[in-house]
Coordinates of all heavy atoms in Angstrom, one line a residue:
L6 N 5.7 -2.6 8.1 CA 5.5 -1.5 7.2 C 6.8 -0.7 7.2 O 7.3 -0.3 8.2 CB 4.3 -0.6 7.5 CG 4.2 0.6 6.7 CD1 2.8 0.7 6.2 CD2 4.6 1.9 7.4
A7 N 7.3 -0.3 6.0 CA 8.5 0.6 5.9 C 8.1 1.8 5.1 O 7.4 1.7 4.1 CB 9.7 -0.1 5.2
M8 N 8.5 2.9 5.6 CA 8.2 4.2 4.9 C 9.4 5.1 5.0 O 10.1 5.2 6.0 CB 7.0 4.9 5.6 CG 6.6 6.1 4.9 SD 5.2 6.9 5.7 CE 3.9 5.8 5.3
I9 N 9.8 5.6 3.8 CA 10.9 6.6 3.7 C 10.2 8.0 3.5 O 9.3 8.1 2.8 CB 11.9 6.2 2.7 CG1 11.3 6.2 1.3 CG2 12.6 4.9 3.0 CD1 12.3 6.0 0.2
T10 N 10.8 8.9 4.3 CA 10.2 10.2 4.2 C 11.2 11.3 4.4 O 12.2 11.1 5.1 CB 9.0 10.3 5.3 OG1 8.4 11.6 5.2 CG2 9.5 10.1 6.7
K11 N 10.9 12.5 3.9 CA 11.7 13.7 4.1 C 10.8 14.9 4.1 O 10.3 15.3 3.1 CB 12.8 13.8 3.1 CG 13.8 14.9 3.3 CD 14.9 14.9 2.3 CE 15.9 16.0 2.7 NZ 17.0 16.0 1.7
N12 N 10.5 15.4 5.3 CA 9.6 16.6 5.4 C 8.2 16.4 4.8 O 7.7 17.3 4.3 CB 10.3 17.8 4.9 CG 11.6 18.1 5.6 OD1 11.7 17.9 6.8 ND2 12.6 18.6 4.9
S13 N 7.7 15.2 5.0 CA 6.4 14.9 4.4 C 5.3 15.7 5.0 O 4.4 16.2 4.3 CB 6.0 13.4 4.6 OG 6.9 12.6 3.8
A14 N 5.3 15.9 6.3 CA 4.2 16.7 6.9 C 4.2 18.2 6.4 O 3.2 18.8 6.2 CB 4.4 16.7 8.4
S15 N 5.4 18.7 6.1 CA 5.5 20.1 5.6 C 5.1 20.2 4.1 O 4.5 21.1 3.7 CB 6.9 20.6 5.7 OG 7.3 20.7 7.0
R16 N 5.4 19.1 3.4 CA 5.1 19.2 1.9 C 3.6 19.0 1.6 O 3.1 19.6 0.8 CB 5.9 18.1 1.2 CG 7.4 18.4 1.2 CD 8.1 17.4 0.4 NE 9.5 17.8 0.4 CZ 10.5 17.0 0.1 NH1 10.3 15.8 -0.3 NH2 11.7 17.4 0.1
V17 N 3.0 18.0 2.3 CA 1.6 17.7 2.0 C 0.6 18.2 3.1 O -0.6 18.2 2.9 CB 1.3 16.2 1.7 CG1 2.1 15.8 0.5 CG2 1.6 15.4 2.9
G18 N 1.1 18.6 4.2 CA 0.3 19.0 5.3 C 0.1 17.9 6.3 O 0.0 16.7 5.9
P19 N 0.0 18.2 7.6 CA -0.1 17.1 8.6 C -1.4 16.3 8.4 O -1.4 15.1 8.7 CB -0.1 17.9 9.9 CG -0.1 19.3 9.6 CD 0.1 19.5 8.2
N20 N -2.5 16.9 8.1 CA -3.8 16.2 7.9 C -3.7 15.2 6.8 O -4.2 14.0 6.9 CB -5.0 17.1 7.8 CG -5.2 17.9 9.0 OD1 -4.9 17.5 10.1 ND2 -5.7 19.1 8.9
I21 N -3.2 15.6 5.7 CA -3.1 14.7 4.5 C -2.1 13.5 4.8 O -2.4 12.4 4.5 CB -2.7 15.4 3.2 CG1 -3.9 16.3 2.8 CG2 -2.4 14.4 2.1 CD1 -3.6 17.2 1.7
F22 N -1.0 13.9 5.5 CA 0.0 12.9 5.8 C -0.6 11.8 6.8 O -0.5 10.6 6.6 CB 1.2 13.5 6.4 CG 2.3 12.5 6.7 CD1 2.9 11.8 5.7 CD2 2.7 12.2 8.0 CE1 3.9 10.9 6.0 CE2 3.7 11.3 8.3 CZ 4.3 10.6 7.3
R23 N -1.4 12.3 7.7 CA -2.1 11.4 8.6 C -3.1 10.5 7.9 O -3.2 9.3 8.2 CB -2.8 12.2 9.7 CG -3.4 11.3 10.8 CD -3.7 12.1 12.1 NE -4.4 11.2 13.0 CZ -3.8 10.3 13.8 NH1 -2.5 10.1 13.7 NH2 -4.5 9.6 14.6
R24 N -3.8 11.0 6.9 CA -4.7 10.2 6.1 C -3.9 9.1 5.3 O -4.4 8.0 5.2 CB -5.5 11.0 5.2 CG -6.7 11.7 5.9 CD -7.6 12.3 5.0 NE -7.0 13.5 4.4 CZ -7.6 14.4 3.7 NH1 -8.9 14.3 3.4 NH2 -6.9 15.5 3.2
V25 N -2.7 9.4 4.9 CA -1.9 8.4 4.2 C -1.5 7.3 5.2 O -1.6 6.1 4.8 CB -0.6 9.1 3.6 CG1 0.4 8.0 3.2 CG2 -0.9 10.0 2.5
L26 N -1.2 7.7 6.4 CA -0.9 6.7 7.4 C -2.1 5.8 7.7 O -2.0 4.6 7.8 CB -0.4 7.3 8.7 CG 1.0 8.0 8.6 CD1 1.2 8.8 9.9 CD2 2.1 7.0 8.4
Q27 N -3.3 6.4 7.8 CA -4.5 5.7 8.1 C -4.8 4.7 6.9 O -5.3 3.6 7.2 CB -5.7 6.6 8.3 CG -5.6 7.3 9.7 CD -6.6 8.4 9.9 OE1 -7.0 9.0 8.9 NE2 -6.9 8.6 11.1
S28 N -4.5 5.1 5.7 CA -4.8 4.2 4.6 C -3.9 2.9 4.6 O -4.3 1.9 4.1 CB -4.6 4.9 3.2 OG -3.2 5.1 3.0
S29 N -2.8 3.0 5.3 CA -1.9 1.9 5.4 C -2.5 0.8 6.3 O -2.1 -0.4 6.3 CB -0.5 2.3 6.0 OG -0.6 2.6 7.4
L30 N -3.5 1.1 7.1 CA -4.1 0.2 8.0 C -4.9 -1.0 7.3 O -5.3 -1.9 8.0 CB -5.1 0.9 9.0 CG -4.4 1.8 10.0 CD1 -5.4 2.7 10.7 CD2 -3.5 1.1 10.9
Q31 N -5.0 -0.9 6.0 CA -5.6 -1.9 5.2 C -4.7 -3.2 5.2 O -5.2 -4.3 5.0 CB -5.9 -1.5 3.8 CG -6.8 -0.3 3.7 CD -6.9 0.2 2.3 OE1 -6.8 -0.5 1.3 NE2 -7.2 1.5 2.2
I32 N -3.5 -3.0 5.5 CA -2.5 -4.1 5.6 C -2.3 -4.5 7.1 O -2.1 -3.5 7.9 CB -1.1 -3.7 5.0 CG1 -1.3 -3.3 3.6 CG2 -0.1 -4.9 5.2 CD1 -1.8 -4.4 2.6
P33 N -2.4 -5.7 7.5 CA -2.3 -6.1 9.0 C -0.9 -6.1 9.4 O -0.3 -7.2 9.7 CB -3.0 -7.4 9.0 CG -2.7 -8.0 7.7 CD -2.7 -6.9 6.7
Y34 N -0.2 -5.0 9.6 CA 1.1 -4.9 10.1 C 1.2 -4.6 11.6 O 0.3 -4.0 12.1 CB 2.0 -3.9 9.3 CG 1.5 -2.5 9.4 CD1 2.0 -1.7 10.4 CD2 0.6 -1.9 8.5 CE1 1.6 -0.3 10.5 CE2 0.1 -0.6 8.7 CZ 0.7 0.2 9.6 OH 0.2 1.5 9.8
N35 N 2.3 -5.0 12.2 CA 2.5 -4.7 13.6 C 3.7 -3.8 13.9 O 3.8 -3.3 15.0 CB 2.5 -5.9 14.5 CG 3.6 -6.9 14.1 OD1 4.3 -6.7 13.0 ND2 3.9 -7.8 14.9
V36 N 4.6 -3.6 13.0 CA 5.8 -2.9 13.2 C 5.9 -1.8 12.0 O 5.6 -2.1 10.9 CB 7.0 -3.8 13.1 CG1 8.3 -2.9 13.2 CG2 7.0 -4.8 14.1
M37 N 6.2 -0.6 12.4 CA 6.5 0.5 11.5 C 8.0 0.8 11.5 O 8.5 1.1 12.6 CB 5.7 1.7 11.8 CG 4.2 1.6 11.8 SD 3.3 3.1 12.3 CE 3.6 4.1 10.9
I38 N 8.6 0.8 10.3 CA 10.0 1.2 10.2 C 10.0 2.5 9.4 O 9.6 2.4 8.2 CB 10.9 0.1 9.5 CG1 10.8 -1.2 10.3 CG2 12.3 0.6 9.3 CD1 11.4 -2.4 9.6
I39 N 10.4 3.5 10.0 CA 10.4 4.9 9.3 C 11.8 5.4 9.2 O 12.6 5.4 10.1 CB 9.6 5.9 10.1 CG1 8.2 5.3 10.5 CG2 9.5 7.2 9.4 CD1 7.3 5.0 9.4
V40 N 12.2 5.7 7.9 CA 13.5 6.3 7.7 C 13.1 7.8 7.3 O 12.6 8.1 6.3 CB 14.3 5.7 6.5 CG1 15.6 6.4 6.3 CG2 14.5 4.2 6.8
N41 N 13.4 8.6 8.3 CA 13.0 10.0 8.2 C 14.3 10.9 8.1 O 15.0 11.1 9.1 CB 12.1 10.5 9.3 CG 11.7 11.9 9.2 OD1 11.8 12.5 8.2 ND2 11.2 12.5 10.3
D42 N 14.5 11.4 6.9 CA 15.7 12.2 6.7 C 15.4 13.7 6.7 O 16.2 14.5 6.3 CB 16.4 11.8 5.4 CG 17.1 10.5 5.5 OD1 17.5 10.1 6.6 OD2 17.1 9.8 4.5
G43 N 14.2 14.1 7.2 CA 13.8 15.5 7.2 C 13.9 16.1 8.6 O 14.4 15.4 9.6
N44 N 13.5 17.3 8.7 CA 13.6 18.0 10.0 C 12.3 18.7 10.4 O 12.3 19.5 11.3 CB 14.7 19.1 9.8 CG 16.0 18.6 9.5 OD1 16.5 17.6 10.2 ND2 16.7 19.2 8.6
D45 N 11.2 18.3 9.9 CA 9.9 18.8 10.3 C 9.2 18.0 11.3 O 9.9 17.2 12.0 CB 9.0 19.1 9.0 CG 8.5 17.8 8.4 OD1 9.0 16.7 8.8 OD2 7.7 17.8 7.5
K46 N 7.9 18.1 11.5 CA 7.2 17.4 12.5 C 6.7 16.0 12.1 O 5.8 15.4 12.7 CB 6.0 18.2 12.9 CG 6.4 19.5 13.6 CD 5.2 20.3 14.1 CE 5.7 21.6 14.7 NZ 4.6 22.3 15.4
T47 N 7.2 15.5 11.0 CA 6.8 14.2 10.5 C 6.9 13.1 11.5 O 6.0 12.3 11.8 CB 7.6 13.8 9.2 OG1 7.3 14.8 8.2 CG2 7.2 12.5 8.7
S48 N 8.1 13.0 12.2 CA 8.3 12.0 13.2 C 7.3 12.1 14.3 O 6.8 11.0 14.8 CB 9.7 12.1 13.8 OG 10.7 11.7 12.8

């Protein structure tokens, strides 16, 4: 799974961002590649 993000936790809130991540579990992936160009708690 690849996800690009920039301050996603700050923009949508940590709980909503976590629900987005949980929705990704419908796909059977084993590796997460995150490109995070922000400075908040997203990582």
Side-chain angles (χ1 to χ4, degrees):
L6 173 131
M8 184 179 288
I9 59 175
T10 181
K11 185 175 183 179
N12 299 324
S13 293
S15 296
R16 289 184 181 161
V17 299
N20 293 332
I21 292 174
F22 184 64
R23 187 163 173 77
R24 282 190 287 192
V25 168
L26 291 171
Q27 287 170 331
S28 72
S29 73
L30 294 171
Q31 297 173 33
I32 303 296
Y34 63 91
N35 60 346
V36 177
M37 297 176 74
I38 300 168
I39 309 297
V40 180
N41 182 14
D42 290 327
N44 298 315
D45 68 353
K46 295 183 181 189
T47 299
S48 288

